[in-house]
Amino acid sequence: MPSTGFAHWLIVLVETFAALFLLLLALFVVVLLVTWLVDRNQTGNAVLRNFPVIGHFRYWFLHLGEFFRQYLYSSDREEMPFNRAQRTWVYRAAKNVDNTGAFGSSRDLRGEGVPFFVNAPFPNLGEDHVEPVPVTIGPHARQPYSHAAFFNISAMSFGALSAPAVRALSRGAAKAGIWMDTGEGGLAPYHLEGGCDIIFEIGTAKYGVRTPEGKLDDDKLLAICAHEQVKMVSIKLGQGAKPGMGGLLPGAKVTAEIAAIRGIPMGEDSQSPNRHLDIGNVHQLLDAIDHIRELTGKPVGFKAVLGGVDWIGEMCDEIARRGIESAPDFIIVDGSEGGTGAAPQTLMEGVGLPLHEALPALLDMLIVKGLRQRIKVVCSGKCITAYDVAWALSVGADFVNSARGFMLALGCIQSLQCNRNTCPTGITTQNPKLQRGLVVADKSERVFHYARNVMHEVGIIAHSCGVAEPRQLNRGHCRVVGDDGLSIPLEKLFPYPVKQGVS
């Protein structure tokens, strides 16, 4: 009998555990299903929206990394092109959450080339804050453009970016009072949707304003510039990530809509020429600027990555012969560390001057030639944090553009899928299933917060240095660490030159 009782008890126990297991399994399935539904329908996170449930593993690993990365993973400051500390700063700024830190900086302040700012003994008080003064671009154009915000959205094409990404950028830019550069892919309705100021870029393939032969179509350009939102026209000579090479849009991204906007065949790779067919020297460049400015009435400038500034000096001498009104209204200088959707690694890593050399060299040449006030200078190239922007303003830039900073604000996780049409956050893909992850209403707010928080924190740096607003920063307010671990003033590293040219 005891053995029979034990067997009965064992059977009951097994049945109880089996029932409990089935109950837990059912509960797990229910939790899994609910999590899937919640993830799929929430609007704040593109990764979870596109990859429900499994996307949570990314955040668990990130959290565990805080404790184990010193043994197993890279540190906060080791990743490229942007390290974890930089990305986290942008994410928090975009979400408008507390961006303070504890215990001390993880940034190596003794590394060669690291810039930092010189605080004043008696900094400006908070109530001394002054809003940035509008800067007027193109005084000789029929429609000059005055713009106050010193931090703006750099050139990113529709096609390289998805429609939801462009829409979110447009809406966020309008709310933040910043401009948006169309990139070389033409003007899409999504650029105009938010109501922000637009810089229209003409690339080497002249997308959106091209004849069937690839020449400039004046009528198409006039139609685009008829939009009140289009404030300036930028002629793209080159960009930092691929100097000497035109843009490449993979055929998988060339949808019917993109093909219509750009004026190219659908579904085929689109490779732009490595330069404008009608611009082969500084004389032709100035002719093109004059033609477009006279045609449209808008300020006109150009974007380039510099391999040196001798040709800039040659251009300035030609301006002196033609008259100061013939000068470009602005120059956008892109450092060789600039980003792109697709480019050969050789060009990305081995050609062109980085921004920390190119920007002061350009500004100094304009000062020497007496054209610094006439030609406004915009810079771009990995400027995503407040001290990146403050450095550029200290050197002398009038405006700072960022592309990848705003991509991170949209939710980019640096998965490096931009050239494969498989971006998991819906930013650089034309796949509708992946685009669904990017909710415009949510991401436009993050674009707005990121832009405003960057400018606010640059203002904090300016106050600490004893000036009222960021554009009052100069090379005396910044120091750069040398190869001996000691810093030298930026004005000693790049002394202000003496003006020699026209006034």
Side-chain angles (χ1 to χ4, degrees):
M1 292 297 294
S3 60
T4 303
F6 177 77
H8 175 72
W9 177 83
L10 187 60
I11 291 171
V12 171
L13 186 63
V14 170
E15 290 177 345
T16 301
F17 274 109
L20 184 60
F21 174 77
L22 291 174
L23 179 63
L24 291 175
L25 184 62
L27 183 62
F28 175 76
V29 171
V30 170
V31 170
L32 206 64
L33 181 60
V34 170
T35 303
W36 192 96
L37 290 171
V38 170
D39 288 350
R40 187 66 173 164
N41 292 287
Q42 56 83 37
T43 61
N45 190 299
V47 173
L48 295 181
R49 191 170 168 86
N50 282 337
F51 303 97
V53 181
I54 62 174
H56 287 282
F57 285 99
R58 173 177 180 265
Y59 301 98
W60 293 334
F61 291 145
L62 283 175
H63 178 66
L64 291 174
E66 295 177 12
F67 307 102
F68 294 113
R69 73 170 62 104
Q70 61 179 311
Y71 305 111
L72 302 176
Y73 311 125
S74 60
S75 72
D76 278 349
R77 300 283 178 176
E78 285 183 351
E79 295 173 282
M80 292 292 281
F82 296 100
N83 61 49
R84 186 183 291 110
Q86 291 171 310
R87 299 197 310 272
T88 298
W89 190 94
V90 174
Y91 293 149
R92 297 183 70 81
K95 293 177 181 178
N96 201 33
V97 298
D98 177 56
N99 220 350
T100 58
F103 206 66
S105 173
S106 63
R107 186 185 187 211
D108 183 4
L109 299 179
R110 296 169 297 176
E112 184 177 358
V114 171
F116 60 88
F117 298 88
V118 181
N119 59 293
F122 306 104
N124 285 25
L125 298 172
E127 55 264 32
D128 296 330
H129 173 75
V130 175
E131 289 295 319
V133 176
V135 173
T136 298
I137 308 172
H140 296 280
R142 295 193 300 276
Q143 300 175 44
Y145 177 45
S146 292
H147 187 70
F150 53 81
F151 185 60
N152 299 278
I153 300 176
S154 193
M156 291 184 283
S157 302
F158 171 57
L161 296 189
S162 66
V166 175
R167 294 173 63 206
L169 289 170
S170 177
R171 291 187 189 182
K175 190 170 182 179
I178 64 177
W179 77 49
M180 179 183 186
D181 192 315
T182 64
E184 65 178 311
L187 182 70
Y190 313 113
H191 289 116
L192 301 169
E193 179 179 304
C196 66
D197 289 352
I198 296 292
I199 312 304
F200 179 71
E201 183 178 276
I202 301 176
T204 57
K206 296 181 171 59
Y207 292 132
V209 289
R210 70 198 306 266
T211 65
E213 298 76 31
K215 297 181 179 180
L216 180 66
D217 188 315
D218 286 356
D219 291 336
K220 290 181 179 178
L221 180 58
L222 273 174
I224 284 174
C225 290
H227 292 284
E228 177 62 26
Q229 287 173 242
V230 177
K231 301 297 184 182
M232 302 196 297
V233 178
S234 173
I235 301 172
K236 176 187 171 183
L237 300 183
Q239 69 182 92
K242 44 190 171 188
M245 178 181 177
L248 171 64
L249 186 67
K253 287 188 172 185
V254 185
T255 64
E257 181 181 34
I258 291 167
I261 290 171
R262 295 195 177 206
I264 56 176
M266 184 180 74
E268 297 181 13
D269 289 350
S270 183
Q271 174 71 63
S272 303
N274 63 340
R275 73 165 176 85
H276 289 268
L277 303 181
D278 55 342
I279 302 177
N281 52 54
V282 296
H283 304 277
Q284 293 176 345
L285 174 60
L286 292 176
D287 289 344
I289 290 170
D290 182 68
H291 170 72
I292 294 171
R293 183 166 49 214
E294 182 61 30
L295 177 71
T296 65
K298 312 275 184 174
V300 180
F302 65 87
K303 174 181 178 179
V305 55
L306 300 180
V309 292
D310 288 347
W311 72 275
I312 297 291
E314 181 186 346
M315 181 190 72
C316 292
D317 292 340
E318 179 63 18
I319 292 167
R321 286 189 287 270
R322 296 187 183 203
I324 197 168
E325 68 280 356
S326 68
D329 297 307
F330 61 90
I331 296 174
I332 302 174
V333 56
D334 196 12
S336 60
E337 63 271 68
T340 186
Q345 186 172 350
T346 302
L347 290 180
M348 281 197 292
E349 297 182 354
V351 180
L353 290 178
L355 189 63
H356 72 267
E357 278 192 63
L359 179 59
L362 171 64
L363 288 163
D364 288 353
M365 179 60 76
L366 295 179
I367 292 171
V368 166
K369 297 296 184 179
L371 289 169
R372 177 63 191 93
Q373 296 305 311
R374 170 68 178 89
I375 302 174
K376 303 308 176 189
V377 174
V378 187
C379 73
S380 59
K382 293 190 79 171
C383 294
I384 69 168
T385 65
Y387 49 77
D388 297 328
V389 176
W391 169 86
L393 296 176
S394 297
V395 174
D398 297 296
F399 303 94
V400 180
N401 279 355
S402 179
R404 287 170 291 177
F406 284 97
M407 288 176 66
L408 291 169
L410 286 173
C412 170
I413 60 173
Q414 197 170 271
S415 63
L416 308 182
Q417 301 290 307
C418 309
N419 58 331
R420 300 177 185 172
N421 204 34
T422 53
C423 171
T425 57
I427 298 171
T428 61
T429 177
Q430 301 307 315
N431 184 333
K433 292 181 180 179
L434 294 174
Q435 288 181 3
R436 183 182 180 277
L438 199 159
V439 179
V440 173
D442 177 77
K443 301 308 182 187
S444 63
E445 285 297 303
R446 296 193 183 189
V447 168
F448 160 67
H449 288 308
Y450 172 58
R452 299 305 294 177
N453 282 325
V454 167
M455 290 189 281
H456 173 72
E457 295 208 13
V458 175
I460 291 176
I461 293 174
H463 276 187
S464 178
C465 292
V467 299
E469 68 111 340
R471 285 199 182 94
Q472 293 176 8
L473 291 168
N474 60 48
R475 298 180 192 181
H477 293 120
C478 185
R479 298 177 71 91
V480 178
V481 178
D483 57 4
D484 58 358
L486 301 177
S487 68
I488 58 175
L490 198 59
E491 61 184 344
K492 184 176 180 181
L493 184 62
F494 299 109
Y496 287 109
V498 177
K499 180 174 68 174
Q500 299 174 358
V502 297
S503 60

